[in-house]
PDB file of all heavy atoms in Angstrom:
ATOM      1  N   PRO A 162      -6.812   9.368   5.062  1.00 94.00           N
ATOM      2  CA  PRO A 162      -6.233  10.150   6.242  1.00 94.00           C
ATOM      3  C   PRO A 162      -7.219  10.320   7.424  1.00 94.00           C
ATOM      4  O   PRO A 162      -6.802  10.542   8.473  1.00 94.00           O
ATOM      5  CB  PRO A 162      -5.927  11.487   5.587  1.00 94.00           C
ATOM      6  CG  PRO A 162      -6.630  11.510   4.360  1.00 94.00           C
ATOM      7  CD  PRO A 162      -6.908  10.094   3.852  1.00 94.00           C
ATOM      8  N   SER A 165      -6.611   8.603  10.807  1.00 91.00           N
ATOM      9  CA  SER A 165      -5.663   9.118  11.786  1.00 91.00           C
ATOM     10  C   SER A 165      -6.338   9.829  12.872  1.00 91.00           C
ATOM     11  O   SER A 165      -5.796   9.932  14.050  1.00 91.00           O
ATOM     12  CB  SER A 165      -4.673  10.148  11.173  1.00 91.00           C
ATOM     13  OG  SER A 165      -4.060   9.585  10.002  1.00 91.00           O
ATOM     14  N   ARG A 174       0.130   2.540  10.264  1.00 96.00           N
ATOM     15  CA  ARG A 174      -0.105   2.485   8.822  1.00 96.00           C
ATOM     16  C   ARG A 174       1.294   2.435   8.138  1.00 96.00           C
ATOM     17  O   ARG A 174       2.004   3.406   8.045  1.00 96.00           O
ATOM     18  CB  ARG A 174      -0.793   3.858   8.373  1.00 96.00           C
ATOM     19  CG  ARG A 174      -1.212   3.765   7.019  1.00 96.00           C
ATOM     20  CD  ARG A 174      -1.886   4.992   6.394  1.00 96.00           C
ATOM     21  NE  ARG A 174      -2.506   6.023   7.320  1.00 96.00           N
ATOM     22  CZ  ARG A 174      -3.767   6.361   7.280  1.00 96.00           C
ATOM     23  NH1 ARG A 174      -4.598   5.793   6.509  1.00 96.00           N
ATOM     24  NH2 ARG A 174      -4.180   7.378   7.993  1.00 96.00           N
ATOM     25  N   LEU A 177       1.430   4.830   2.731  1.00 96.00           N
ATOM     26  CA  LEU A 177       1.217   6.361   2.851  1.00 96.00           C
ATOM     27  C   LEU A 177      -0.262   6.693   2.921  1.00 96.00           C
ATOM     28  O   LEU A 177      -1.147   6.016   2.319  1.00 96.00           O
ATOM     29  CB  LEU A 177       1.738   6.950   1.466  1.00 96.00           C
ATOM     30  CG  LEU A 177       3.309   6.851   1.379  1.00 96.00           C
ATOM     31  CD1 LEU A 177       3.616   7.186  -0.022  1.00 96.00           C
ATOM     32  CD2 LEU A 177       3.881   7.872   2.302  1.00 96.00           C
ATOM     33  N   ASN A 178      -0.565   7.693   3.763  1.00 95.00           N
ATOM     34  CA  ASN A 178      -2.004   8.081   3.716  1.00 95.00           C
ATOM     35  C   ASN A 178      -2.261   9.012   2.466  1.00 95.00           C
ATOM     36  O   ASN A 178      -1.306   9.561   1.974  1.00 95.00           O
ATOM     37  CB  ASN A 178      -2.351   8.794   5.035  1.00 95.00           C
ATOM     38  CG  ASN A 178      -1.708  10.238   5.112  1.00 95.00           C
ATOM     39  OD1 ASN A 178      -1.992  11.083   4.277  1.00 95.00           O
ATOM     40  ND2 ASN A 178      -0.912  10.413   6.137  1.00 95.00           N
ATOM     41  N   SER A 180      -3.410  11.834   1.999  1.00 96.00           N
ATOM     42  CA  SER A 180      -3.110  13.193   1.983  1.00 96.00           C
ATOM     43  C   SER A 180      -1.663  13.515   1.617  1.00 96.00           C
ATOM     44  O   SER A 180      -1.314  14.648   1.343  1.00 96.00           O
ATOM     45  CB  SER A 180      -3.670  13.926   3.210  1.00 96.00           C
ATOM     46  OG  SER A 180      -2.786  13.514   4.287  1.00 96.00           O
ATOM     47  N   SER A 181      -0.800  12.526   1.620  1.00 96.00           N
ATOM     48  CA  SER A 181       0.615  12.742   1.309  1.00 96.00           C
ATOM     49  C   SER A 181       0.675  13.259  -0.108  1.00 96.00           C
ATOM     50  O   SER A 181       1.709  13.918  -0.426  1.00 96.00           O
ATOM     51  CB  SER A 181       1.365  11.386   1.421  1.00 96.00           C
ATOM     52  OG  SER A 181       1.182  10.780   2.593  1.00 96.00           O
ATOM     53  N   PHE A 214      -8.133  17.762   2.846  1.00 97.00           N
ATOM     54  CA  PHE A 214      -6.765  17.992   2.707  1.00 97.00           C
ATOM     55  C   PHE A 214      -6.399  18.520   1.243  1.00 97.00           C
ATOM     56  O   PHE A 214      -5.673  19.400   1.093  1.00 97.00           O
ATOM     57  CB  PHE A 214      -5.905  16.765   2.903  1.00 97.00           C
ATOM     58  CG  PHE A 214      -6.066  16.207   4.237  1.00 97.00           C
ATOM     59  CD1 PHE A 214      -7.118  15.203   4.602  1.00 97.00           C
ATOM     60  CD2 PHE A 214      -5.305  16.712   5.381  1.00 97.00           C
ATOM     61  CE1 PHE A 214      -7.281  14.742   5.788  1.00 97.00           C
ATOM     62  CE2 PHE A 214      -5.523  16.090   6.646  1.00 97.00           C
ATOM     63  CZ  PHE A 214      -6.409  15.235   6.896  1.00 97.00           C
ATOM     64  N   GLN A 418       3.132   6.261  11.023  1.00 95.00           N
ATOM     65  CA  GLN A 418       2.865   6.155   9.586  1.00 95.00           C
ATOM     66  C   GLN A 418       4.242   6.331   8.807  1.00 95.00           C
ATOM     67  O   GLN A 418       5.221   6.892   9.360  1.00 95.00           O
ATOM     68  CB  GLN A 418       2.039   7.433   9.133  1.00 95.00           C
ATOM     69  CG  GLN A 418       0.737   7.508   9.836  1.00 95.00           C
ATOM     70  CD  GLN A 418      -0.127   8.524   9.151  1.00 95.00           C
ATOM     71  OE1 GLN A 418      -0.295   8.450   7.922  1.00 95.00           O
ATOM     72  NE2 GLN A 418      -0.852   9.383   9.845  1.00 95.00           N
ATOM     73  N   LEU A 419       4.215   5.858   7.611  1.00 95.00           N
ATOM     74  CA  LEU A 419       5.339   6.178   6.736  1.00 95.00           C
ATOM     75  C   LEU A 419       5.349   7.534   6.287  1.00 95.00           C
ATOM     76  O   LEU A 419       4.344   8.204   6.241  1.00 95.00           O
ATOM     77  CB  LEU A 419       5.280   5.206   5.466  1.00 95.00           C
ATOM     78  CG  LEU A 419       5.443   3.729   5.748  1.00 95.00           C
ATOM     79  CD1 LEU A 419       5.455   2.970   4.421  1.00 95.00           C
ATOM     80  CD2 LEU A 419       6.704   3.401   6.442  1.00 95.00           C
ATOM     81  N   GLN A 420       6.548   8.023   5.979  1.00 91.00           N
ATOM     82  CA  GLN A 420       6.702   9.448   5.535  1.00 91.00           C
ATOM     83  C   GLN A 420       6.649   9.612   4.076  1.00 91.00           C
ATOM     84  O   GLN A 420       7.078   8.693   3.327  1.00 91.00           O
ATOM     85  CB  GLN A 420       7.905  10.020   6.168  1.00 91.00           C
ATOM     86  CG  GLN A 420       7.919  10.176   7.620  1.00 91.00           C
ATOM     87  CD  GLN A 420       6.692  11.041   7.949  1.00 91.00           C
ATOM     88  OE1 GLN A 420       6.637  12.225   7.839  1.00 91.00           O
ATOM     89  NE2 GLN A 420       5.613  10.416   8.560  1.00 91.00           N
ATOM     90  N   SER A 421       6.257  10.708   3.625  1.00 89.00           N
ATOM     91  CA  SER A 421       6.052  10.957   2.265  1.00 89.00           C
ATOM     92  C   SER A 421       7.405  11.006   1.442  1.00 89.00           C
ATOM     93  O   SER A 421       8.309  11.737   1.705  1.00 89.00           O
ATOM     94  CB  SER A 421       5.394  12.335   2.092  1.00 89.00           C
ATOM     95  OG  SER A 421       5.200  12.741   0.832  1.00 89.00           O
TER      96      SER A 421
HETATM   97  C1  NAG B  10      -0.282  11.769   6.167  1.00 77.38           C
HETATM   98  O1  NAG B  10       1.080  11.434   5.972  1.00 77.38           O
HETATM   99  C2  NAG B  10       1.944  12.599   5.976  1.00 77.38           C
HETATM  100  C3  NAG B  10       3.344  12.132   5.638  1.00 77.38           C
HETATM  101  O2  NAG B  10       3.313  11.547   4.314  1.00 77.38           O
HETATM  102  C4  NAG B  10       1.896  13.265   7.310  1.00 77.38           C
HETATM  103  O3  NAG B  10       2.759  14.397   7.256  1.00 77.38           O
HETATM  104  C5  NAG B  10       0.431  13.664   7.624  1.00 77.38           C
HETATM  105  O4  NAG B  10       0.447  14.170   8.947  1.00 77.38           O
HETATM  106  C6  NAG B  10      -0.453  12.508   7.587  1.00 77.38           C
HETATM  107  N1  NAG B  10      -1.859  12.932   7.700  1.00 77.38           N
HETATM  108  C7  NAG B  10      -2.713  12.285   8.373  1.00 77.38           C
HETATM  109  C8  NAG B  10      -4.030  12.877   8.518  1.00 77.38           C
HETATM  110  O5  NAG B  10      -2.536  11.232   8.835  1.00 77.38           O
END
Side-chain angles (χ1 to χ4, degrees):
S165 306
R174 189 180 340 235
L177 288 167
N178 73 58
S180 69
S181 308
F214 300 93
Q418 306 196 42
L419 291 184
Q420 291 304 288
S421 178

